[in-house]
């Protein structure tokens, strides 16, 4: 039986394949990292509606400022009131949204996110035609 040839890697070449799946170090896909890291090994049950909050910023730099505040322990609703540029004035609350009611990129990111609290939010970032969003989900049904 012939043996299979061994695959060798040329150190002088750069791989163009997707080596950063599943949130490996060096991944640049924050949305994928957040979704992967949020499940803690448990798959989320399918949902037909989510109770979401978001912070919308037109500029990337403002979104980064808001993220810094959140990482320093700021409550999501307080940071949303300070930084969000939309009309969701109640701490970024969008309320219950069914599938199909949100921008497609926003919806995909939000439905992949595990529910959390405003005091200890699990976040995902996404860019849409409206701007840069920081999203958290409070409930699923």
């Amino acid at each position: 039986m012939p043996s299979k040839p061994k695959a060798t890697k040329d150190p002088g070449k750069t791989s163009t394949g997707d080596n950063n799946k599943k949130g490996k170090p060096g991944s640049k896909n924050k949305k994928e990292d957040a979704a992967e890291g949020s499940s803690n090994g448990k798959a989320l049950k399918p949902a037909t509606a989510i109770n979401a909050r978001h912070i919308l910023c037109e500029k990337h730099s403002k979104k980064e400022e808001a993220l810094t505040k959140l990482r320093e322990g700021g409550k999501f609703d307080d940071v949303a009131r300070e930084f969000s540029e939309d009309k969701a004035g109640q701490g970024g609350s969008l309320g219950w949204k069914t599938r199909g009611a949100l921008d497609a990129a926003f919806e995909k990111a939000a439905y992949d996110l595990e529910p959390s609290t405003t005091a200890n939010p699990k976040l995902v970032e996404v860019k849409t035609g409206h701007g840069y969003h920081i999203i958290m989900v409070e409930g699923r049904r």
Side-chain angles (χ1 to χ4, degrees):
M1 188 176 213
S3 63
K4 290 183 182 178
K6 288 186 179 180
T8 59
K9 195 171 193 179
D10 183 351
K13 291 187 178 179
T14 306
S15 172
T16 57
D18 188 4
N19 292 332
N20 290 328
K21 286 189 176 181
K22 300 207 182 218
K24 289 184 181 175
S27 173
K28 294 198 174 19
N29 190 338
K30 291 178 186 177
K31 183 169 47 172
E32 192 173 280
D33 287 349
E36 290 286 339
S38 68
S39 65
N40 295 328
K42 293 185 259 175
L44 288 173
K45 292 181 182 177
T48 57
I50 54 169
N51 186 7
R53 289 181 184 263
H54 79 141
I55 298 169
L56 172 64
C57 300
E58 188 176 310
K59 296 188 179 198
H60 184 266
S61 59
K62 189 168 183 181
K63 179 211 46 131
E64 290 297 318
E65 282 183 61
L67 273 175
T68 299
K69 285 258 189 176
L70 290 166
R71 289 180 182 136
E72 290 172 350
K75 287 184 67 179
F76 192 93
D77 49 344
D78 294 337
V79 176
R81 282 187 196 95
E82 182 179 347
F83 287 92
S84 193
E85 299 171 1
D86 73 338
K87 295 178 180 163
Q90 297 184 340
S93 179
L94 297 173
W96 286 95
K97 297 292 179 187
T98 57
R99 286 193 186 269
L102 299 165
D103 176 273
F106 185 106
E107 185 172 289
K108 165 108 177 74
Y111 273 86
D112 288 345
L113 195 57
E114 183 179 331
S116 59
T117 64
T118 58
N120 190 20
K122 293 184 181 180
L123 309 170
V124 67
E125 304 167 49
V126 67
K127 184 175 189 318
T128 69
H130 301 285
Y132 297 91
H133 301 264
I134 304 169
I135 307 167
M136 71 162 288
V137 172
E138 292 184 290
R140 298 169 60 86
R141 60 179 182 202

